[in-house]
């Protein structure tokens, strides 16, 4: 299916940047502001010379404030947030974000040392040993490419140093939760031409802030580990080669949810108003994961960057490999009832290559141009467990129990939905078509290939006015197989009765098989393909009437790639 394949519309921004640095330097007293260098336009520049709405936070400030994750950075930067929920991480700039569908990338992408991370899970450990974080607001379709319609996060990791230095820090939280973190780095020269840096961090929460009274444990309990190694080699006076390897693991047990309003679950003794307590759990051994939810995975990324100076111009090439996989389990009726369990997993691999040329920026006319290639694969699976029938002697409150209770509460009204479904669940008892427990497995197996070329040029119209224009052409092709099947309860064994309408139609009940009635789907498998081309552009005018003060007006377009619904349960 096509989803958000239209080009994002023009975003306009006008910003007055004021600095008192020049005035401070003219007087011996008063503060002097440090110059902030950013790479928001793919080259190192003072933030005062960049006509982009950008907020930059240094690694030193991130360290001083104890920021360890993207969620914490949200408090420092206006119109920016990162949210973590049971299904996925969402990045939001100016109210623009993506949902949780695995078939689509983020609308705000992250770049770490020039490497594109379009999926929220890739950036789970992005704030390890950070040198600088830049949040760019508005479409960044020219220099950063697709899936930046809301903006982009540009992260520069801390680099190896010319002198030996290192640090180890730790923290422990005493009140409310038991959390400790340890992180550190070691950096310095390995020879006259080689420098290295190794950094790592470990985080452990053994007691969360939600008490799960079902399992008599606190949640969430989190264990995270991340490590990065960086080598810099001065291959020649004009050539720098940088190799980076990063690895991380995460293990989350329990979810930070409680029942504020119980609604119809009140009839089954489910308490509400539990702001610091949860009663999420299951008796049925197939649904019981020993927790309200789990999330376990690992992340691997490597990159090789070559920068070569040609006079005052520069050629840059970046090759990268990025991968992650995770498995997640969820007691997704979010109660003490034995209704539904949902498991999902993703296995992702990505290869990218970028080459660009940046001319001498001090010239009246300067430009930057390049080419980009991406290839990735994704296998996303979701498995929903439907506990349809209560097990005699077990005492579990399954779907049939809840439907019967809802029908009784409605006075047996034949038009009530609970009564209708309850009647279907029991209609075929005593026959081979009797409703039984089952699983619904949906899957997206996808390949994605992208090629793009871009160019941006700036011309100084006068000593105080300059104009910039940019253009990018992107072509992308996605192919996938998307399917949904019915399986035996708790297994991956196909159940042809649960999902076969023909058998029920032969008994005068067309379309009333469990798969369509309770899982609201149809067994299917589709081979899908889509190709789209996009041209995005940007333009701006700058006016710097005096040193340290700049006005600009900018316009730009962005491109959000289309995709397939990974959660499609019908054909």
């Amino acid at each position: 299916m096509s989803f958000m394949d239209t080009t994002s519309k023009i975003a306009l921004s006008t910003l007055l940047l004021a600095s008192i640095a020049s005035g401070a330097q003219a007087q011996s007293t008063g503060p002097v502001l440090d110059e902030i260098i950013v790479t928001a336009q793919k080259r190192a520049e003072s933030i005062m010379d960049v006509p982009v709405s950008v907020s930059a936070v240094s690694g030193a400030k991130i360290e001083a404030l104890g920021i360890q994750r993207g969620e914490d950075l949200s408090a420092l930067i206006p119109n920016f947030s990162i949210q973590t929920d049971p299904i996925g991480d969402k990045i939001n700039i100016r109210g623009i974000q993506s949902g949780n569908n695995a078939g689509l990338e983020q609308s705000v992408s992250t770049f770490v040392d020039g490497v594109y991370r379009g999926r929220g899970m890739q950036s789970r450990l992005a704030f390890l040993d950070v040198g600088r974080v830049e949040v760019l607001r508005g479409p960044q379709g020219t220099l950063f490419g697709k899936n930046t319609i809301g903006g982009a996060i540009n992260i520069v990791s801390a680099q190896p140093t010319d002198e030996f230095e290192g640090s180890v820090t730790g923290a422990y939280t005493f009140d409310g939760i038991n959390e400790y973190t340890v992180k550190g780095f070691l950096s310095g020269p390995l020879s006259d031409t080689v420098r290295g840096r190794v950094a790592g961090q470990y985080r452990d929460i053994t007691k969360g802030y939600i008490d799960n009274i079902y399992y008599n444990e606190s949640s969430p309990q989190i264990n995270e580990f991340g490590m990065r190694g960086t080598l810099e080699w001065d291959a020649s006076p004009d050539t720098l080669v940088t190799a980076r390897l990063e690895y991380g693991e995460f293990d989350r047990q329990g979810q930070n949810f409680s029942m504020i309003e119980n609604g119809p679950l009140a009839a089954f003794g489910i308490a509400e108003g539990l702001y610091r307590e949860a009663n999420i759990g299951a008796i049925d051994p197939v649904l019981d994961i020993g927790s309200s939810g789990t999330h376990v995975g690992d992340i691997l990324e490597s990159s090789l960057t070559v920068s070569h100076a040609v006079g005052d111009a520069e050629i840059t090439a970046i090759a990268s490999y990025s991968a992650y996989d995770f498995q997640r389990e969820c007691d997704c009726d979010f109660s003490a009832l034995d209704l539904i369990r949902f498991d999902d997993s993703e296995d992702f691999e990505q290869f990218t290559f970028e080459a660009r040329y940046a001319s001498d920026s001090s010239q009246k006319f300067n430009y930057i141009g390049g080419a980009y290639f991406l290839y990735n694969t994704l296998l996303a699976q979701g498995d929903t467990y439907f506990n349809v029938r209560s097990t005699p002697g077990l005492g579990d409150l399954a779907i049939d129990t809840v439907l019967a209770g809802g029908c009784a509460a409605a006075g047996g009204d034949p038009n009530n939905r609970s009564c209708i479904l309850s009647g279907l669940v029991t209609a075929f008892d005593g026959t081979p078509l009797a409703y039984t427990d089952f699983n619904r497995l949906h899957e997206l197996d996808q390949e994605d290939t992208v090629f793009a070329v871009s160019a941006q040029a700036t011309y100084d119209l006068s000593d105080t006015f300059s104009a910039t224009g940019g253009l990018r052409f992107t072509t992308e092709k996605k192919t996938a197989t998307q399917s949904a099947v019915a399986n035996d309860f708790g297994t991956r064994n196909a159940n042809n009765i649960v999902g076969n309408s023909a058998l029920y139609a032969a008994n005068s009940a067309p379309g009333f098989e469990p798969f369509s009635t309770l899982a609201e789907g149809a067994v299917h498998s589709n081979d899908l393909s889509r190709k789209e081309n996009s041209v995005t552009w940007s333009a701006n005018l700058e006016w710097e009437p005096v040193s340290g003060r700049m006005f600009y007006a900018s316009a730009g377009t962005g491109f959000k790639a289309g995709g397939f619904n990974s959660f499609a349960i019908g054909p």
Side-chain angles (χ1 to χ4, degrees):
M1 98 175 203
S2 175
F3 188 87
M4 284 189 68
D5 55 0
T6 58
T7 304
S8 69
K9 301 305 179 184
I10 297 175
L12 295 173
S13 63
T14 304
L15 178 67
L16 169 63
L17 296 178
S19 171
I20 63 172
S22 58
Q25 291 170 354
Q27 303 176 23
S28 59
T29 60
V32 177
L33 300 182
D34 292 333
E35 184 178 32
I36 301 175
I37 302 299
V38 297
T39 53
Q41 295 194 110
K42 296 286 186 174
R43 66 168 98 212
E45 300 172 286
S46 168
I47 196 170
M48 293 297 296
D49 297 328
V50 177
V52 175
S53 178
V54 54
S55 294
V57 183
S58 68
K61 186 172 184 179
I62 289 173
E63 179 72 19
L65 295 176
I67 293 174
Q68 301 175 37
R69 293 164 296 282
E71 307 96 278
D72 302 332
L73 190 65
S74 304
L76 288 181
I77 299 177
N79 303 317
F80 167 73
S81 70
I82 296 179
Q83 303 163 350
T84 301
D85 64 30
I87 306 300
D89 299 341
K90 295 188 288 289
I91 305 173
N92 181 307
I93 293 181
R94 291 177 172 170
I96 297 176
Q97 67 178 34
S98 295
N100 289 325
N101 197 294
L104 297 168
E105 298 85 3
Q106 295 274 341
S107 296
V108 177
S109 294
T110 301
F111 298 80
V112 178
D113 295 333
V115 176
Y116 167 70
R117 297 181 179 180
R119 308 185 66 83
M121 199 59 61
Q122 287 177 281
S123 298
R124 177 59 65 94
L125 301 174
F127 286 80
L128 166 65
D129 196 31
V130 170
R132 184 178 66 255
V133 177
E134 304 166 12
V135 177
L136 287 62
R137 303 179 188 88
Q140 306 296 321
T142 300
L143 292 179
F144 287 88
K146 75 186 188 89
N147 302 329
T148 58
I149 61 173
I153 304 175
N154 188 32
I155 299 177
V156 180
S157 60
Q159 299 301 302
T161 54
D162 293 325
E163 303 291 336
F164 278 112
E165 60 181 65
S167 171
V168 177
T169 61
Y172 182 78
T173 302
F174 293 91
D175 188 20
I177 64 175
N178 292 336
E179 175 183 7
Y180 66 88
T181 59
V182 178
K183 58 183 178 180
F185 74 91
L186 183 64
S187 177
L190 302 178
S191 72
D192 291 341
T193 59
V194 178
R195 297 167 298 281
R197 186 182 186 103
V198 177
Q201 68 179 32
Y202 179 79
R203 177 189 182 208
D204 190 279
I205 298 179
T206 57
K207 178 184 177 182
Y209 51 90
I210 299 291
D211 292 325
N212 188 315
I213 58 179
Y214 191 97
Y215 291 110
N216 191 30
E217 66 179 18
S218 64
S219 63
Q221 299 176 26
I222 301 174
N223 185 283
E224 293 178 346
F225 167 76
M227 192 169 186
R228 178 191 298 130
T230 306
L231 285 176
E232 285 186 346
W233 173 40
D234 297 324
S236 75
D238 298 321
T239 305
L240 175 65
V241 179
T242 305
R244 177 175 60 90
L245 179 63
E246 186 171 326
Y247 176 76
E249 297 177 349
F250 55 89
D251 185 338
R252 182 187 183 100
Q253 301 292 322
Q255 301 178 105
N256 51 330
F257 289 104
S258 60
M259 186 70 67
I260 306 303
E261 296 183 8
N262 53 15
L265 297 181
F268 302 96
I270 304 300
E272 70 174 9
L274 305 174
Y275 291 91
R276 295 292 299 269
E277 293 183 351
N279 52 5
I280 302 173
I283 297 174
D284 188 290
V286 178
L287 300 182
D288 186 8
I289 57 178
S291 172
S292 60
T294 70
H295 190 189
V296 180
D298 56 67
I299 302 168
L300 175 67
E301 184 170 281
S302 61
S303 66
L304 182 67
T305 302
V306 179
S307 300
H308 178 69
V310 183
D312 291 324
E314 186 176 51
I315 299 173
T316 304
I318 305 173
S320 75
Y321 169 78
S322 183
Y324 70 83
D325 66 77
F326 72 78
Q327 298 78 42
R328 187 159 37 196
E329 301 168 320
C330 173
D331 186 341
C332 278
D333 54 58
F334 297 103
S335 70
L337 304 184
D338 296 75
L339 304 180
I340 293 176
R341 166 181 167 181
F342 177 69
D343 296 355
D344 72 323
S345 64
E346 291 184 20
D347 191 343
F348 176 83
E349 286 189 298
Q350 172 183 285
F351 302 87
T352 68
F353 179 77
E354 178 181 9
R356 63 177 182 265
Y357 177 84
S359 70
D360 180 2
S361 60
S362 65
Q363 298 300 308
K364 187 173 185 179
F365 175 77
N366 64 84
Y367 59 91
I368 181 171
Y372 182 80
F373 172 79
L374 174 148
Y375 172 79
N376 66 44
T377 61
L378 170 68
L379 177 62
Q381 296 180 317
D383 196 1
T384 308
Y385 298 62
F386 291 89
N387 187 29
V388 180
R389 309 304 290 266
S390 300
T391 304
L394 186 62
D396 56 329
L397 297 174
I399 292 174
D400 60 347
T401 314
V402 174
L403 291 176
C407 182
D413 180 1
N415 296 317
N416 179 268
R417 186 173 185 271
S418 292
C419 292
I420 295 172
L421 293 176
S422 181
L424 288 173
V425 168
T426 59
F428 300 97
D429 285 358
T431 76
L433 303 180
Y435 273 33
T436 185
D437 306 336
F438 68 95
N439 279 41
R440 178 189 68 198
L441 175 67
H442 63 270
E443 179 179 283
L444 178 70
D445 191 353
Q446 175 180 279
E447 293 186 1
D448 184 12
T449 304
V450 179
F451 179 74
V453 291
S454 63
Q456 178 172 292
T458 298
Y459 182 73
D460 294 335
L461 302 172
S462 70
D463 291 340
T464 58
F465 277 99
S466 63
T468 301
L471 204 63
R472 187 183 189 99
F473 172 76
T474 303
T475 179
E476 178 167 17
K477 182 177 182 181
K478 288 183 178 179
T479 58
T481 299
Q482 199 282 324
S483 62
V485 296
N487 292 330
D488 291 336
F489 191 53
T491 76
R492 294 290 175 92
N493 301 323
N495 188 316
N496 296 321
I497 294 179
V498 168
N500 191 337
S501 298
L503 294 177
Y504 290 84
N507 288 270
S508 303
F512 288 159
E513 85 286 351
F515 202 80
S516 64
T517 304
L518 298 179
E520 301 179 334
V523 175
H524 70 278
S525 179
N526 293 327
D527 291 327
L528 307 170
S529 178
R530 61 179 289 121
K531 183 177 181 180
E532 49 195 336
N533 300 324
S534 174
V535 175
T536 52
W537 57 266
S538 62
N540 66 66
L541 288 173
E542 298 176 50
W543 177 43
E544 189 173 356
V546 296
S547 177
R549 288 171 173 80
M550 188 245 290
F551 295 84
Y552 75 87
S554 68
T557 60
F559 168 55
K560 176 63 186 285
F564 310 111
N565 182 6
S566 66
F567 203 77
I569 53 179

